[in-house]
Amino acid sequence: MSGSGSIASVPDTATISFGVTTQGKTAAAAFTSNSADIAKVIAALKAAGVAPKDLQTQYLSLSPRTNDTGDQILGFTAFNSVNATIHDLSRAGSVIDAGVAAGADTVNGPSLSRSDSARSIARR
């Protein structure tokens, strides 16, 4: 026996990831600079109407930068990203603009979904 099905629905939620990459001579310098830069992005997203509960750190990394042969560390690169969930899709463009204007150098998304999708699956 086999079967198939499909469901069509209109999304009402967007998730967008905003990232910041910084470099520093030391790991501490790269990380400190990155923390300050992502804080500016988060503040801008809040000012654009994203609720604090709808912001979540997604990814954080710190890695050495080396010379061409890989035997000398030249400095460090830090990356940090935050996910913003937007419940009013008409605001997605202005939220993206706010994040980029505040210094986000990476934007991924939007990923569209339905806010009630988990409830719909549970009812089946």
Side-chain angles (χ1 to χ4, degrees):
M1 177 179 276
S2 66
S4 65
S6 66
I7 297 174
S9 68
V10 176
D12 64 358
T13 304
T15 302
I16 303 166
S17 174
F18 297 88
V20 174
T21 305
T22 56
Q23 295 185 356
K25 195 80 168 155
T26 65
F31 188 73
T32 298
S33 177
N34 191 272
S35 295
D37 288 354
I38 199 70
K40 291 175 191 173
V41 172
I42 290 170
L45 296 174
K46 288 178 181 176
V50 179
K53 69 178 181 69
D54 291 328
L55 293 169
Q56 181 178 10
T57 298
Q58 179 186 21
Y59 187 77
L60 177 62
S61 71
L62 182 66
S63 56
R65 287 182 294 110
T66 60
N67 62 359
D68 291 338
T69 58
D71 60 356
Q72 181 183 8
I73 294 177
L74 303 174
F76 291 83
T77 300
F79 178 77
N80 194 346
S81 65
V82 61
N83 275 349
T85 301
I86 302 164
H87 299 283
D88 178 359
L89 294 182
S90 68
R91 291 188 17 249
S94 62
V95 170
I96 292 170
D97 287 344
V100 171
D105 55 19
T106 305
V107 178
N108 293 307
S111 174
L112 302 175
S113 63
R114 294 244 349 137
S115 59
D116 62 355
S117 62
R119 195 174 76 232
S120 296
I121 292 170
R123 282 189 272 170
R124 292 183 195 168

